[in-house]
């Protein structure tokens, strides 16, 4: 939630200062069966090399700052990691800002080719590099916060057709029998896919904020009039993020290690009172995240993906 607010504040500051947000999405063509690490490696290599080129420097020179988000879904065509980069561009109009960002396309596609990915086909040129304006950027941040941080529902992001890492983990725990496979086989299949994602993204930040974006947000926040603090929801106050230098409560410590169990308990309830009761029980008797992950990996090891 704090990350989403930080990005939203940057967008608000951009509107106040007449800057144009442009969202660039970088990805690569991929197919079912490709290893998660291989797909991500190609995108990261192309993106890193792109940022060493003059074409990126020229765009940065007319931008105040940028943020980059690493997002991951899994679907019919396999692993789909992608970077969303939002730049705040100084320009005469949004069309002008988009045109300036468009100058990166050719360079990125050439770097994809050098990284061993498809950088030449018409399909790659259409889908591996995508530019959108302010409305899309703001809509994406709204979706980013609401879909994953607030609900985690399987109904979000296309259901089984496009699964987030959280959804993969849930299916590794609760998936029924499907497609001629038993429930155990389905759960092992999703556990294996999820583990590939976790291994590929280990140590990689989901959100990167440039110094220019950070400075802009801090200056904008300093200009805002003081307002009364918004009351925190009951469960967030007791189980959510602990304040710096404040002593951790027993409830907070228990919740910190049981995020998977607590989320599943809350989602299993049909009303708020039932959710509170389920969460209270899970805090006392629920498995820790570590126990769940160890159990998934120790159950004869999911091994390779089941077709």
């Amino acid at each position: 939630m704090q990350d989403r607010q930080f990005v939203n504040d940057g967008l608000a500051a951009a509107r106040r200062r007449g800057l144009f947000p442009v969202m660039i999405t970088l990805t690569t063509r991929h197919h079912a069966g490709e290893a998660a690490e291989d797909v991500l490696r190609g995108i990261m290599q192309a993106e890193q090399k792109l940022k060493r080129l003059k074409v990126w420097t020229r765009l940065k020179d007319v931008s105040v700052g940028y943020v980059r988000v690493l997002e991951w879904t899994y679907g019919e065509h396999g692993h789909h990691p992608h970077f969303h980069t939002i730049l705040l561009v100084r320009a005469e109009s949004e069309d002008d800002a988009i045109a300036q960002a468009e100058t990166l396309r050719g360079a990125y596609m050439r770097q994809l080719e050098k990284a061993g990915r498809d950088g030449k086909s018409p399909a790659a040129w259409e889908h591996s590099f995508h530019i959108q304006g302010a409305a899309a950027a703001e809509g994406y941040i709204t979706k980013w916060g609401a879909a994953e941080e607030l609900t985690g529902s399987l109904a979000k992001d296309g259901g089984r057709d496009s699964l987030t890492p959280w959804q993969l983990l849930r299916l590794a725990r609760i998936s029924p029998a499907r497609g001629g496979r038993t429930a155990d086989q389905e759960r092992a299949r999703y556990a294996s896919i999820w583990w590939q994602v976790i291994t590929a993204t280990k140590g990689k930040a989901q959100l990167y904020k440039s110094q220019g974006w950070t400075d802009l947000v801090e200056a904008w926040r300093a200009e805002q009039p003081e307002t009364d603090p918004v009351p925190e929801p009951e469960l967030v106050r007791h189980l959510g993020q602990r304040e710096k230098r404040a002593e951790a409560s027993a409830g907070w410590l228990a919740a910190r290690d049981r995020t998977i169990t607590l989320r599943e308990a809350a989602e299993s309830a049909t009303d708020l009172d039932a959710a509170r009761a389920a969460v209270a029980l899970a805090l006392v008797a629920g498995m820790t995240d570590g126990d769940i992950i160890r159990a998934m990996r120790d159950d004869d090891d999911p091994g390779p993906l089941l077709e």
Side-chain angles (χ1 to χ4, degrees):
M1 291 296 287
Q2 287 184 335
D3 284 343
R4 182 174 62 139
Q5 188 60 54
F6 194 91
V7 176
N8 276 330
D9 285 352
L11 294 173
R15 285 192 296 270
R16 184 72 61 83
R17 287 161 172 74
L19 302 169
F20 291 93
V22 175
M23 184 168 76
I24 301 173
T25 301
L26 304 179
T27 185
T28 184
R29 296 187 72 193
H30 52 88
H31 57 79
E34 270 197 284
E37 288 182 279
D38 292 342
V39 181
L40 180 60
R41 185 183 303 112
I43 301 169
M44 291 191 67
Q45 181 177 322
E47 194 245 9
Q48 290 168 1
K49 292 290 182 63
L50 172 67
K51 289 183 175 177
R52 299 174 188 170
L53 301 178
K54 290 182 179 179
V55 66
W56 171 257
T57 301
R58 286 195 292 269
L59 183 58
K60 277 187 65 180
D61 287 344
V62 296
S63 302
V64 171
Y66 69 94
V67 292
R68 189 199 70 180
V69 179
L70 169 60
E71 193 172 75
W72 201 295
T73 56
Y74 181 89
E76 178 183 357
H77 299 293
H79 292 284
H80 180 52
H82 42 285
F83 289 135
H84 294 297
T85 299
I86 302 175
L87 295 107
L88 304 179
V89 183
R90 302 184 191 93
E92 295 297 323
S93 66
E94 181 172 272
D95 287 345
D96 181 31
I98 289 175
Q100 294 190 62
E102 178 65 35
T103 61
L104 298 179
R105 184 186 299 270
Y108 175 70
M109 299 309 295
R110 287 190 291 274
Q111 295 308 318
L112 267 186
E113 188 74 18
K114 291 180 180 179
R117 310 299 303 182
D118 180 4
K120 291 185 176 180
S121 74
W125 273 72
E126 180 181 359
H127 299 296
S128 297
F129 184 97
H130 193 233
I131 300 176
Q132 295 172 285
E138 292 177 359
Y140 166 71
I141 295 304
T142 299
K143 184 276 299 182
W144 172 42
E148 284 307 288
E149 295 180 12
L150 298 183
T151 67
S153 170
L154 283 174
K156 300 290 183 181
D157 295 330
R160 290 180 184 270
D161 295 332
S162 183
L163 300 167
T164 66
W166 168 252
Q167 291 166 337
L168 288 168
L169 179 56
R170 280 199 68 194
L171 287 169
R173 299 260 293 146
I174 67 172
S175 179
R178 183 170 177 262
R181 292 182 288 266
T182 67
D184 285 345
Q185 287 175 321
E186 274 291 271
R187 293 172 188 181
R189 185 170 76 96
Y190 285 117
S192 179
I193 298 168
W194 175 78
W195 192 251
Q196 283 194 34
V197 177
I198 296 306
T199 301
T201 56
K202 183 179 180 180
K204 298 175 177 64
Q206 182 191 16
L207 176 68
Y208 171 79
K209 301 163 283 192
S210 75
Q211 188 60 51
W213 188 292
T214 300
D215 292 344
L216 179 68
V217 170
E218 290 178 352
W220 182 81
R221 288 178 174 178
E223 297 169 1
Q224 304 312 302
E226 291 188 9
T227 59
D228 294 332
V230 177
E232 296 184 54
E234 175 187 348
L235 291 181
V236 171
R237 184 173 66 247
H238 293 297
L239 304 180
Q241 183 173 353
R242 178 165 58 103
E243 294 183 6
K244 291 182 179 180
R245 295 180 294 279
E247 184 176 353
S249 67
W252 187 89
L253 290 172
R256 180 187 60 178
D257 296 331
R258 290 175 170 80
T259 56
I260 298 172
T261 296
L262 294 180
R263 200 164 184 174
E264 290 180 351
E267 290 181 350
S268 69
T270 56
D271 59 65
L272 184 57
D273 288 338
R276 286 182 179 138
V279 167
L281 179 61
L283 275 173
V284 177
M287 293 178 67
T288 67
D289 294 347
D291 289 339
I292 289 172
I293 293 172
R294 280 191 292 272
M296 289 168 56
R297 299 303 297 168
D298 292 342
D299 188 15
D300 295 329
D301 194 319
L305 302 186
L306 299 174
E307 298 297 335

